[in-house]
Amino acid sequence: MNENPHATILVVEDDPSHRDLVSEELQDAGWTVLTAGDVPDARHLLQGGGVDLVLSDLRLPGEDGLALLEDCRLHALPPAFIMLTAFGTIAQAVEALKQGADDFLTKPVDLDHLVIAVRRALRNRRLQAEVARYREMLQGDDFHGLIGSSPPMQALYTRIRQLAGAVGPVLVTGESGTGKELVARAIHAESPRAEGPFVAINCAGIPGELMESELFGHAAGAFSGARQARRGLFQEAHGGTLLLDEIGEMPMAMQAKLLRLLQDGRVRPVGSNREVETDVRVVAATHRDPAVLIREQSFREDLYYRLETFRLHVPPLRQRGDDIERLAARFLARFGAAMDRRVDGISPEALRALHAYAFPGNVRELTNLIERAVTFCRGDQIQLRDLPDAVTRRPRDGGAAAFPWSPQEDAPMPTLAEVEDRYIRWVLHRLEGNKRQAARVLGIGRRTLYRRLEGSHPEADPEDPS
């Protein structure tokens, strides 16, 4: 089986009969073949790009094969290189390998051996290219811990920079696992308060009767067990930023006190008659829709209006395109180092499955998924078999997954946009990423498809002929 069916090979040989013999053998094996009779012609063909492997005679008219090898080494991603010669000596072989050749074969060439050598060299080059791509991703700049270069994330970074210098509270919304705390930390780091403390509290993790004391502090003797006074988190965050995560879980009575604090900047510790001034910027976060919380009468409308002046929405992972691969590369390196496992990348099949998956748990789910895959991976690359059934569409009961979502009585109801998004990605997965075919199946233009994948949901463009 040819592992590199689309590879292009450049054969550089001044003997026409030998050049034709080798070219035909490689073409019969399924590769695209270019030919040249000397180094200048070969250089001209290499300038056009797209050459994956050079098969060159050592002795050529004018400059020799070693000169061509030296030129190839200057490319950002050099083609694989196999040297051929009828005058093979150990010294020549060592020199070629020292300069970066992948292999060294002598004439007359055993054609079966040649095909094996070419396959091996192309496979090594593909692995090198994947490692280089992952290294580039790992070295890419992040934004205060946020990783991603997709248009939705670039827009988010811009909004963070714009509002970081303001003084009012910020409301951060987004699905669970999207990285709302990282967004809050980025706001703090970009703000004039960056040298001050950053304090975070999860409102869902604090019992309602203890929340006031946790946030505002308490005086000595304020309640049973309060033997000494204690500063609250607002005082701990003085001069900095306080993140109130999952603010939708805050009791209504505490919401009223928070609103008053946001208006006058003062806190009164439990059991104290004195108010204390605080200088804190509040960032509130929730994975729930504030409008729904207000309708359910579990969130004060006046507090919402106080918070939503500066509102940021963190995009879900399924709308972030190639960020999935960039994040996976980071997590791969992290867990590989932690487990002392060398896993260099993700196979194309596994990567397609990741791109097709809806990721309801977002970045947090991807983190756990990669940790699991590294743990169970049996080679140097994560394969489809290393991913969970939910990602690979393999139901545990052996049935066929005809569609990525079907309504159930007790299941949360997704929005129409979410169902459309899942269906689009399912079609892409079924068509192995072929966007032209996917657009045809979906009945939309390719430009519309690209916009959908980037996170917007415009109507189909009837004038888009693609």
Side-chain angles (χ1 to χ4, degrees):
M1 179 180 174
N2 194 339
E3 296 180 12
N4 302 272
H6 305 297
T8 297
I9 300 171
L10 172 59
V11 177
V12 188
E13 169 63 71
D14 60 327
D15 181 344
S17 61
H18 191 261
R19 183 171 64 229
D20 291 345
L21 175 66
V22 170
S23 298
E24 289 175 8
E25 185 68 22
L26 296 176
Q27 287 172 338
D28 288 344
W31 292 299
T32 300
V33 179
L34 306 175
T35 61
D38 54 30
V39 172
D41 284 350
R43 285 197 183 112
H44 177 73
L45 291 170
L46 285 167
Q47 286 174 358
V51 174
D52 300 291
L53 182 143
V54 175
L55 183 67
S56 175
D57 195 358
L58 174 61
R59 294 200 174 183
L60 294 166
E63 297 177 275
D64 63 11
L66 290 176
L68 183 60
L69 173 59
E70 186 176 352
D71 285 351
C72 289
R73 294 299 97 191
L74 300 177
H75 290 223
L77 179 60
F81 202 104
I82 297 177
M83 194 74 77
L84 289 176
T85 180
F87 306 95
T89 67
I90 293 178
Q92 288 171 325
V94 169
E95 182 61 27
L97 294 173
K98 281 172 60 177
Q99 291 196 28
D102 294 88
D103 210 339
F104 188 101
L105 304 176
T106 57
K107 299 178 183 177
V109 175
D110 181 292
L111 295 178
D112 290 336
H113 186 194
L114 171 65
V115 170
I116 292 171
V118 167
R119 283 178 177 155
R120 182 170 58 240
L122 286 172
R123 182 171 61 250
N124 289 340
R125 182 180 187 268
R126 177 177 58 81
L127 292 174
Q128 289 170 4
E130 289 177 0
V131 170
R133 187 174 74 252
Y134 278 104
R135 282 178 177 167
E136 182 181 355
M137 289 180 178
L138 292 173
Q139 292 169 357
D141 294 335
D142 58 17
F143 184 77
H144 304 293
L146 291 163
I147 301 167
S149 57
S150 63
M153 291 303 288
Q154 292 296 327
L156 178 64
Y157 302 158
T158 298
R159 289 278 291 152
I160 289 173
R161 293 188 185 99
Q162 289 172 337
L163 61 78
V167 296
V170 181
L171 178 62
V172 181
T173 59
E175 298 176 10
S176 293
T178 50
K180 295 185 290 295
E181 181 171 340
L182 287 175
V183 169
R185 290 182 180 275
I187 294 169
H188 175 72
E190 287 284 320
S191 75
R193 299 173 175 271
E195 298 301 318
F198 177 88
V199 179
I201 179 175
N202 188 326
C203 298
I206 306 295
E209 63 274 14
L210 298 180
M211 189 170 290
E212 183 176 3
S213 172
E214 192 71 21
L215 291 176
F216 299 161
H218 61 256
F223 49 84
S224 177
R227 297 180 180 178
Q228 57 186 18
R230 180 177 177 273
R231 286 156 50 97
L233 294 181
F234 271 94
Q235 289 171 279
E236 295 289 340
H238 184 77
T241 304
L242 176 63
L243 168 63
L244 299 175
D245 200 5
E246 297 302 345
I247 194 170
E249 305 302 320
M250 180 179 283
M252 293 288 278
M254 270 303 304
Q255 291 180 31
K257 294 179 180 181
L258 174 62
L259 178 62
R260 183 170 179 273
L261 182 150
L262 292 175
Q263 291 170 342
D264 62 22
R266 298 171 182 271
V267 298
R268 175 176 294 179
V270 176
S272 174
N273 294 322
R274 294 177 58 251
E275 289 187 334
V276 180
E277 288 192 9
T278 61
D279 174 24
V280 176
R281 188 178 195 184
V282 171
V283 178
T286 179
H287 75 282
R288 302 186 64 188
D289 185 344
V292 173
L293 294 173
I294 291 169
R295 285 199 301 271
E296 293 175 349
Q297 297 185 342
S298 60
F299 199 78
R300 292 179 62 102
E301 191 169 10
D302 50 0
L303 176 58
Y304 168 69
Y305 289 128
R306 183 72 181 89
L307 293 172
E308 66 96 31
T309 302
F310 299 114
R311 181 173 178 178
L312 287 174
H313 183 71
V314 188
L317 184 57
R318 61 182 171 276
Q319 294 178 1
R320 292 175 52 184
D322 289 340
D323 284 351
I324 291 174
E325 188 174 0
R326 186 176 296 275
L327 285 160
R330 291 291 184 100
F331 301 148
L332 203 60
R334 179 198 303 175
F335 293 120
M339 300 179 196
D340 196 22
R341 297 281 308 278
R342 179 171 180 178
V343 182
D344 294 326
I346 304 174
S347 73
E349 296 78 16
L351 194 57
R352 280 197 295 270
L354 291 179
H355 278 289
Y357 183 52
F359 280 104
N362 293 289
V363 179
R364 184 184 297 121
E365 183 181 7
L366 177 61
T367 307
N368 297 336
L369 185 152
I370 295 298
E371 181 178 14
R372 175 191 185 278
V374 171
T375 302
F376 292 106
C377 181
R378 297 193 291 271
D380 57 3
Q381 222 181 30
I382 290 176
Q383 303 293 334
L384 201 60
R385 63 174 178 264
D386 302 317
L387 301 180
D389 293 339
V391 177
T392 59
R393 315 295 189 202
R394 295 192 306 263
R396 293 187 185 276
D397 60 5
F403 183 64
W405 176 81
S406 58
Q408 298 176 3
E409 283 294 327
D410 58 347
M413 291 183 289
T415 64
L416 179 60
E418 288 175 330
V419 174
E420 288 181 347
D421 186 78
R422 293 183 194 181
Y423 180 63
I424 287 171
R425 294 184 182 279
W426 178 76
V427 169
L428 270 172
H429 178 55
R430 288 286 302 272
L431 298 174
E432 298 185 339
N434 189 317
K435 293 184 175 63
R436 182 185 296 275
Q437 280 187 271
R440 190 178 300 116
V441 168
L442 294 165
I444 59 178
R446 270 193 295 159
R447 288 200 298 271
T448 302
L449 175 60
Y450 278 104
R451 289 196 296 269
R452 292 277 186 112
L453 292 173
E454 288 176 359
S456 58
H457 296 275
E459 294 299 320
D461 182 359
E463 297 182 1
D464 186 350
S466 54

